[in-house]
Amino acid sequence: MTEWFGAKIIGIIAGSFLALVFLPPRSIPGFVRRTLAALVFGWVFGPVIHDYFQWPITDERVIASGAISAFCSWWLMGSGKKVAESLGLKDTKEQ
Amino acid sequence: MSEFQLALLIGLIITALISARLPRARLWLACGAASFVLSTAYARYGLPHAPAFTLACDAALCLTVYFYGKERWEISGIYRIFQLSVLISLFRLSNIIVDQWIYIVALEILNWAALLLISGTSILDRARAHEVHSDWNWSPHLHRSNISLRKARAQDPFHKVRH
């Protein structure tokens, strides 16, 4: 899906932007980590989500799948951090 | 201008007059009005993906409140209201809200909620200021959470936390 490069990037940015609105991180390092994770997850799992829902390959659907995967990765990073803190694996709440 | 928009404009002016002493209230009112005018004009001109544009405007406003808000009424009130607005536009984009009228009415309700929150906070603040300068004690008549709306926000925005 290299021909959908632009749509994928727009989707990932849109998903990260939405996630920032709904789930803001606690610090700058947390923001950087979540953004990088959203870029990687959005790129890798965007097509997986697209295939899972069996959407037709259009600009809107590629953007939507990229946004969903980026948003989910952002949310998972925050949830993983909270779980690690609750288990005592991390004692600082920096993210 | 429709009668609903005229009513909203009157509400906005009244809220701006009431909240003259509330810091940043007029700033958020101006930002909300700008977002409303931009998104309404975009939809009126029939440009494509109007809910996406509304979503982007409200999300930008949401982040502005998050970064520059200093008190609880801003973060627990205005920020949450505009988050809901973003969510409603997202539902419209993904066809969960199918009817355009339901979408418009939901956004209208949120706009009024924001106006009521700002004017309510301002009135409570004036009541508390009046309490300081007079013998009559207002506090037992007001809920504690309402009085604490003017306290500093619980958590700083992430760009101010460096560890």
Side-chain angles (χ1 to χ4, degrees), chain B residues 94-105:
Chain B
S94 50
N95 275 335
I96 294 171
I97 295 176
V98 183
D99 195 343
Q100 178 72 8
W101 276 104
I102 294 174
Y103 172 61
I104 291 170
V105 166

Side-chain angles (χ1 to χ4, degrees), chain B residues 13-27:
Chain B
I13 292 168
I14 291 171
T15 309
L17 290 173
I18 291 173
S19 59
R21 292 180 193 170
L22 192 64
R24 293 178 302 285
R26 286 184 173 178
L27 172 68

Side-chain angles (χ1 to χ4, degrees), chain A residues 19-86:
Chain A
L20 183 63
V21 169
F22 286 104
L23 308 161
R26 288 185 201 152
S27 64
I28 290 175
F31 170 72
V32 173
R33 270 196 294 273
R34 287 192 194 196
T35 306
L36 290 175
L39 281 171
V40 174
F41 274 68
W43 189 263
V44 173
F45 292 105
V48 176
I49 287 172
H50 195 275
D51 291 343
Y52 177 78
F53 287 112
Q54 296 179 336
W55 282 334
I57 299 178
T58 60
D59 278 339
E60 287 178 3
R61 301 300 183 179
V62 173
I63 289 172
S65 54
I68 290 170
S69 51
F71 188 95
C72 288
S73 80
W74 189 284
W75 175 67
L76 282 172
M77 286 286 283
S79 300
K81 185 81 180 177
K82 281 179 186 167
V83 169
E85 280 170 6
S86 66

Side-chain angles (χ1 to χ4, degrees), chain B residues 75-88:
Chain B
I75 301 303
S76 305
I78 303 290
Y79 178 58
R80 299 289 175 213
I81 287 170
F82 283 108
Q83 270 186 334
L84 262 177
S85 184
V86 172
L87 193 66
I88 285 168

Side-chain angles (χ1 to χ4, degrees), chain A residues 17 21 25-26 28 60 94, chain B residues 49 79 83 158 161-163:
Chain A
F17 183 63
V21 169
R26 288 185 201 152
I28 290 175
E60 287 178 3
E94 75 259 25
Chain B
H49 305 298
Y79 178 58
Q83 270 186 334
F158 74 86
V161 182
R162 298 201 175 273
H163 53 84

Side-chain angles (χ1 to χ4, degrees), chain B residues 48-127:
Chain B
H49 305 298
F53 186 77
T54 306
L55 184 148
C57 286
D58 287 339
L61 182 53
C62 224
L63 285 180
T64 311
V65 175
Y66 172 77
F67 285 123
Y68 295 106
K70 290 177 182 169
E71 295 175 359
R72 285 186 191 176
W73 66 273
E74 292 168 298
I75 301 303
S76 305
I78 303 290
Y79 178 58
R80 299 289 175 213
I81 287 170
F82 283 108
Q83 270 186 334
L84 262 177
S85 184
V86 172
L87 193 66
I88 285 168
S89 292
L90 201 60
F91 283 166
R92 178 76 183 110
L93 264 179
S94 50
N95 275 335
I96 294 171
I97 295 176
V98 183
D99 195 343
Q100 178 72 8
W101 276 104
I102 294 174
Y103 172 61
I104 291 170
V105 166
L107 289 183
E108 196 83 4
I109 288 169
L110 289 177
N111 285 333
W112 277 105
L115 290 182
L116 284 174
L117 178 89
I118 294 173
S119 53
T121 308
S122 186
I123 289 167
L124 283 167
D125 194 47
R126 285 202 179 193

